[in-house]
Amino acid sequence: MMVPTVSAAVLAAACALSIAGTAVFAAPPTYYPSPGGLAYPPARRMNLTENYFGTPVEDPYRWMEDPFSKETIKFASQQSDLSLKYLKSLPDRELFKKSFREINRFDRYGTPFKKGEYWYYLANPQGQNAQSILYRTKDLQNQKPEIFLDPNTLSPQGVDRVDSWSFSPDLLKFAYLVTKNETDYSWVGFVDVKSKKPFDTYLRYVIRSMDQYYFRWASDGTGVTYARYKAPKGLSWDDAGRNNDLFPYEYDLLFHKFGTSIETDTICEESVCPGAPSFAPERPQPQKFAVVDDGKGGKIRIALPLKKENVFTPWAPSVDTPEFDWGSTKQDAGPFDTTFVGTAGGMSYYRTDAGAPRGKVIAIPEAEGTELRAVDVVPQDKELVLDQSVQIADGALAVFYLDNVKHVVRVVKVTNGTSSTIYEFPQRNGAATDIKADTDLQTVTFKYETMIDPGTIYIYNLSTNNVTVFRKLQAPAAVAQVVFDQVFFNSKDGTRVPAFVVRPKNAQKNGRNPVWMYGYGGFQINVMPTFSAFAVALARHYGGIYALVNIRGGKEYGSPWYEGGSLFNKQNCFDDIISAGKFFVKEGWTREGLLSIHGGSNGGLLAGAVSLQAPGLIGVGLADYGVHETLRFTNFTFGPGWVNDYGRNFAGKEVLSALKWAPVYNVKPNVRYPAMLITTGDHDTRVSPLHSFKFAAHLQRVSHSVWGAKPVLLRIRELSGHNIFSLLRYMDTMTDKVTFWAQQLRVPYRP
Ligand SMILES: *[C@@H]1O[C@H](CO)[C@@H](O)[C@H](O)[C@H]1NC(C)=O
Ligand SMILES: *[C@@H]1O[C@H](CO)[C@@H](O)[C@H](O)[C@H]1NC(C)=O
Ligand SMILES: *[C@@H]1O[C@H](CO)[C@@H](O)[C@H](O)[C@H]1NC(C)=O
Ligand SMILES: *[C@@H]1O[C@H](CO)[C@@H](O)[C@H](O)[C@H]1NC(C)=O
Ligand SMILES: *[C@@H]1O[C@H](CO)[C@@H](O)[C@H](O)[C@H]1NC(C)=O
Ligand SMILES: CC(=O)N[C@H]1CO[C@H](CO)[C@@H](O)[C@@H]1O
């Protein structure tokens, strides 16, 4: 969940922007019929021009920002009918879908963890369930564990995924949090651990997080404290999420007493919330600061984040739909990214970038006072980037480094303020995922996978100082026909950028291979080489090359990699992936026009912007749930939390910088743009569908000014939002994309 960083005063300033009416209204383009007989629904243009710091900017489709207007609803439903009809008519759709399902047919497991006498873990037998099932067993070797909770029974199409959970301190009760129709609204249910029977009621409109900041058991066992969004106006619970009015910073902390109705849940005060955190989220926190070595002989003062328990995302995306974890669990990027690791021996450990662009672990005494002196316990490495760290015992941490975007896993012993490596995991060609540490057992469990190996789950045990294998996932047979590789190329400004590549073993450098590029590039999120059944299927059925490009904006090479791809440097993200495309052409793998770009959310913006900037190079743009309206984004749902990446729309230089690449404001007449499939969901509470609506309307309009324009489809998925966690729905949406892609690039299906 993105934490907003903009204060109310700042938002008010943003709203003071005036609407001027003086700019020249663009002449309507020449009228050519739409491609393939596609009759785009008409979209009214308003005469509306806004003046941003002296630059007039037209916004003719402003009316689409109102999700409740009849006009918007009609526009959306006509676009939806048009795109669905088109996509359903594509050949090979059923063939691909069937085969993709087969390629996904292998037993999936999450990493195990222990609570009381049971081990718990997720599994999706043969990948045939929409959602993984939570099993438990007293003996990990037992091949016939009992089902503890089956999310597939919770909603008709298995859309609703159990997202996180929490055991009561006495381990007798279990609460699980479910994302509702892929939105950011959740509900919570309760289970009696012993009998596995549900009890009490369901909580609604709950914030999608169960860390102790938002969810806590009453110490006397009588109820729970939880964070609840204001219910959206005019919508029933069943419809919640179908609008723009989820304001992530407007919520209450409530106490729910077991045995009572949620209608009587009370807003939390110290007196009514037994065992609740001693703070309510909206009240000011006692802020602690630490003084950290800046690495150059000086000191920096940093704010410390709240101490959170070893929070993990139990339903790790790598179990089911790796491509769709669009930064949902990452906190907003501050000037120095600092995260809590653990507490031991009177010290607290934090991972930070302060004074260490590649990251380090610092220790701070557990003392009173607000300005505490930190010591570096795991200093910055000369080359590797310290991605994350977890505590496994009083004096032991597991440290996950990045070596050119591949994980190096080490265990370090910490004594008297310094550390030494006691164990290094032998593999270093992939990604460590689904990491869980347990300081009682003194273990860390993780999965180690690559793009063509679904991975093996390991349990590292401090007392043996070695790993044992919990499960090895069996790769589908089709992986025998592909190779996995990493390449490096230079971007426009000379920066060396890596890309992971999955390609058919027999691919020749004959310029005839279609290339599918994927990127994200933002919010300090690293794109790791996790298993991709899709990359395998693409190679198998279309001879396609899948390239996961580690463009700037993530932290693949530490904090400078993020700074180099955000705010005034955002254009570097686009240049990086365009340079990747040129590299694949130059190397002889493909040719101009046979390349495509795909991304979601911030990566949807990438796909949109790059399709506009490199129309000859890119043949198809696939922009999912994208942020295309990067001038007015702070006005909608989670937008205020994104200003570190896109700029603040009340700050002159930042607006003028964003204006150069903002997709909605850069569609030009007389350009033959790539074929575009713009996907959004009617329940996207994170990035409102209006971003995609406006972008599609602009593209469809200018396509009438170009002879031979390519199709522009706006696909609006139903009961769908930003959190796609159902394996079956993931397969559906990838089938839409790949069949459109193949038709547009004229790539035949190979049975
Ligand atoms: C947000 O919406 C309000 C109401 O439509 C408008 O007055 C304001 O200018 C918008 N603010 C921004 C930053 O777009
Ligand atoms: C657009 O609005 C402005 C200001 O109200 C007006 O001067 C102009 O004539 C209008 N243009 C069109 C094409 O209606
Ligand atoms: C711990 O480190 C401090 C400072 O470096 C040193 O003075 C002290 O002797 C050390 N203690 C032990 C037990 O090594
Ligand atoms: C860790 O190793 C010790 C010593 O072999 C063993 O007793 C313990 O059960 C192991 N822990 C786990 C979680 O496997
Ligand atoms: C550690 O475990 C691995 C795999 O279980 C095994 O191959 C290796 O020999 C072990 N190493 C030691 C030092 O025991
Ligand atoms: C398809 C699906 O699962 N839809 C669900 C959306 O959310 C409502 C309210 O939770 C459920 O009733 C629907 O089943």
Side-chain angles (χ1 to χ4, degrees):
M1 173 165 314
M2 299 292 172
V3 173
T5 55
V6 173
S7 71
V10 161
L11 276 175
C15 295
L17 268 180
S18 68
I19 292 178
T22 47
V24 184
F25 203 53
T30 324
Y31 193 88
Y32 289 111
S34 313
L38 278 169
Y40 296 131
R44 175 173 65 93
R45 288 173 66 84
M46 292 164 86
N47 177 11
L48 174 66
T49 301
E50 195 149 3
N51 188 324
Y52 286 94
F53 304 95
T55 302
V57 178
E58 283 185 16
D59 191 8
Y61 304 118
R62 174 79 55 96
W63 57 269
M64 294 180 183
E65 291 179 3
D66 179 359
F68 294 111
S69 84
K70 284 208 174 85
E71 202 177 5
T72 311
I73 292 168
K74 187 171 172 203
F75 172 81
S77 101
Q78 289 177 335
Q79 293 283 352
S80 198
D81 291 347
L82 183 76
S83 60
L84 208 57
K85 197 168 153 221
Y86 190 98
L87 293 168
K88 285 208 164 137
S89 75
L90 295 175
D92 313 321
R93 194 176 159 87
E94 292 312 313
L95 285 175
F96 180 83
K97 205 166 171 176
K98 194 154 169 264
S99 169
F100 191 32
R101 198 157 170 165
E102 282 311 305
I103 290 173
N104 274 290
R105 193 182 285 278
F106 61 93
D107 289 340
R108 288 146 189 270
Y109 295 94
T111 55
F113 64 96
K114 204 170 181 197
K115 283 283 173 188
E117 38 180 2
Y118 287 100
W119 285 94
Y120 292 79
Y121 60 86
L122 290 170
N124 192 342
Q126 293 293 294
Q128 296 305 292
N129 295 292
Q131 305 289 344
S132 294
I133 298 164
L134 185 59
Y135 290 92
R136 75 174 177 187
T137 173
K138 288 183 181 166
D139 171 15
L140 259 190
Q141 300 314 316
N142 179 5
Q143 301 293 328
K144 292 213 164 58
E146 59 176 295
I147 291 178
F148 181 66
L149 182 68
D150 182 356
N152 298 294
T153 61
L154 297 175
S155 63
Q157 298 169 35
V159 177
D160 294 352
R161 136 167 147 156
V162 175
D163 201 44
S164 47
W165 55 62
S166 172
F167 285 84
S168 63
D170 57 12
L171 302 182
L172 295 177
K173 299 186 188 83
F174 174 85
Y176 59 95
L177 179 140
V178 180
T179 52
K180 182 184 141 54
N181 300 144
E182 304 182 0
T183 68
D184 289 293
Y185 288 115
S186 304
W187 56 270
V188 167
F190 299 96
V191 173
D192 176 79
V193 173
K194 212 166 161 210
S195 66
K196 302 188 286 181
K197 293 226 164 66
F199 73 93
D200 206 64
T201 182
Y202 301 101
L203 313 177
R204 290 174 169 184
Y205 301 109
V206 182
I207 287 189
R208 211 188 123 218
S209 169
M210 280 194 125
D211 71 50
Q212 61 181 349
Y213 189 68
Y214 298 110
F215 186 90
R216 222 178 241 208
W217 298 88
S219 45
D220 63 0
T222 55
V224 293
T225 303
Y226 67 104
R228 188 176 77 183
Y229 288 120
K230 308 270 190 216
K233 287 182 208 77
L235 286 179
S236 68
W237 165 242
D238 279 354
D239 256 351
R242 191 197 285 280
N243 59 66
N244 297 327
D245 55 1
L246 187 152
F247 291 103
Y249 31 86
E250 285 182 10
Y251 56 88
D252 295 316
L253 198 61
L254 297 159
F255 182 65
H256 171 70
K257 191 171 168 24
F258 292 135
T260 67
S261 150
I262 52 171
E263 308 297 329
T264 57
D265 289 354
T266 28
I267 295 197
C268 237
E269 299 291 343
E270 229 47 50
S271 54
V272 292
C273 302
S278 58
F279 48 81
E282 276 161 307
R283 288 177 211 145
Q285 309 299 306
Q287 183 76 66
K288 282 203 169 194
F289 294 90
V291 181
V292 180
D293 283 340
D294 72 357
K296 300 171 202 144
K299 302 279 173 207
I300 332 179
R301 183 171 174 268
I302 60 165
L304 294 176
L306 290 172
K307 271 183 210 162
K308 290 182 173 175
E309 286 150 7
N310 247 336
V311 177
F312 58 86
T313 321
W315 301 78
S318 58
V319 177
D320 288 331
T321 54
E323 287 87 348
F324 285 96
D325 187 33
W326 292 322
S328 55
T329 56
K330 185 92 182 180
Q331 299 293 316
D332 185 41
F336 299 116
D337 188 20
T338 304
T339 50
F340 178 64
V341 173
T343 301
M347 302 292 265
S348 294
Y349 297 100
Y350 294 86
R351 182 223 165 273
T352 187
D353 293 339
R358 287 182 302 283
K360 65 182 176 186
V361 176
I362 54 173
I364 293 159
E366 282 275 280
E368 289 304 313
T370 52
E371 299 261 351
L372 303 161
R373 246 196 83 87
V375 288
D376 294 357
V377 282
V378 183
Q380 174 173 251
D381 191 83
K382 285 191 191 67
E383 288 161 6
L384 307 179
V385 175
L386 202 161
D387 182 29
Q388 48 178 318
S389 179
V390 290
Q391 188 178 11
I392 49 184
D394 223 13
L397 305 174
V399 188
F400 297 82
Y401 286 102
L402 295 177
D403 173 11
N404 287 307
V405 208
K406 291 156 296 185
H407 272 128
V408 174
V409 186
R410 287 181 187 157
V411 176
V412 300
K413 204 144 205 160
V414 182
T415 23
N416 198 21
T418 60
S419 63
S420 54
T421 301
I422 56 168
Y423 174 79
E424 181 163 328
F425 180 70
Q427 215 177 324
R428 52 196 295 173
N429 63 338
T433 56
D434 202 5
I435 298 159
K436 297 189 183 94
D438 188 321
T439 48
D440 293 330
L441 300 175
Q442 306 201 327
T443 54
V444 59
T445 55
F446 60 93
K447 185 190 286 175
Y448 204 93
E449 58 187 303
T450 75
M451 286 184 79
I452 61 169
D453 169 10
T456 300
I457 296 171
Y458 296 95
I459 305 176
Y460 167 86
N461 185 341
L462 186 64
S463 36
T464 57
N465 193 28
N466 199 3
V467 290
T468 51
V469 171
F470 166 56
R471 290 284 190 281
K472 178 167 173 37
L473 280 66
Q474 294 303 323
V479 303
Q481 301 168 30
V482 296
V483 286
F484 168 55
D485 200 2
Q486 189 179 29
V487 297
F488 294 86
F489 61 89
N490 288 335
S491 187
K492 194 175 172 188
D493 65 356
T495 301
R496 188 169 177 260
V497 179
F500 292 106
V501 172
V502 173
R503 61 166 195 272
K505 253 182 191 156
N506 58 4
Q508 305 290 313
K509 287 193 174 184
N510 57 9
R512 287 164 48 189
N513 307 286
V515 174
W516 177 302
M517 298 193 291
Y518 175 88
Y520 183 79
F523 297 92
Q524 312 202 20
I525 289 162
N526 300 330
V527 183
M528 299 301 297
T530 52
F531 179 68
S532 175
F534 180 73
V536 174
L538 187 78
R540 166 72 185 80
H541 291 300
Y542 296 104
I545 297 178
Y546 187 93
L548 194 160
V549 189
N550 294 105
I551 61 174
R552 280 172 279 183
K555 256 184 10 188
E556 282 88 338
Y557 290 95
S559 50
W561 204 248
Y562 170 62
E563 283 145 25
S566 52
L567 216 56
F568 296 113
N569 297 323
K570 185 72 193 166
Q571 179 59 38
N572 285 337
C573 303
F574 315 134
D575 289 342
D576 286 356
I577 209 152
I578 292 170
S579 302
K582 290 180 177 165
F583 168 82
F584 292 119
V585 172
K586 198 184 90 212
E587 289 288 297
W589 289 113
T590 191
R591 60 178 155 72
E592 294 215 343
L594 202 53
L595 281 142
S596 60
I597 167 118
H598 174 219
S601 193
N602 173 67
L605 156 62
L606 172 79
V610 166
S611 298
L612 298 184
Q613 294 184 12
L617 184 70
I618 304 294
V620 178
L622 304 158
D624 295 350
Y625 305 81
V627 187
H628 303 296
E629 167 50 284
T630 46
L631 293 187
R632 289 174 54 79
F633 66 97
T634 57
N635 231 5
F636 312 104
T637 65
F638 287 74
W642 312 334
V643 294
N644 289 334
D645 277 61
Y646 308 141
R648 297 159 302 159
N649 57 359
F650 47 85
K653 282 187 182 159
E654 297 185 11
V655 173
L656 296 176
S657 173
L659 197 51
K660 291 191 189 130
W661 46 260
V664 163
Y665 300 98
N666 281 280
V667 181
K668 306 207 165 63
N670 308 316
V671 180
R672 188 179 299 133
Y673 287 118
M676 295 292 297
L677 177 55
I678 300 166
T679 303
T680 182
D682 62 356
H683 281 65
D684 192 344
T685 50
R686 191 87 53 83
V687 179
S688 165
L690 71 89
H691 289 262
S692 296
F693 292 3
K694 281 181 159 187
F695 185 39
H698 279 282
L699 277 166
Q700 290 183 345
R701 177 171 188 263
V702 303
S703 71
H704 292 297
S705 74
V706 184
W707 177 251
K710 303 273 175 45
V712 177
L713 297 183
L714 173 58
R715 169 92 167 96
I716 305 157
R717 301 182 69 243
E718 278 173 31
L719 284 167
S720 162
H722 223 67
N723 306 299
I724 304 173
F725 293 128
S726 150
L727 181 56
L728 303 182
R729 284 170 63 102
Y730 164 71
M731 292 186 210
D732 270 358
T733 175
M734 292 315 286
T735 301
D736 275 355
K737 283 178 249 292
V738 78
T739 47
F740 178 75
W741 172 91
Q743 182 219 27
Q744 290 303 315
L745 297 182
R746 297 172 205 277
V747 183
Y749 181 85
R750 306 172 184 179

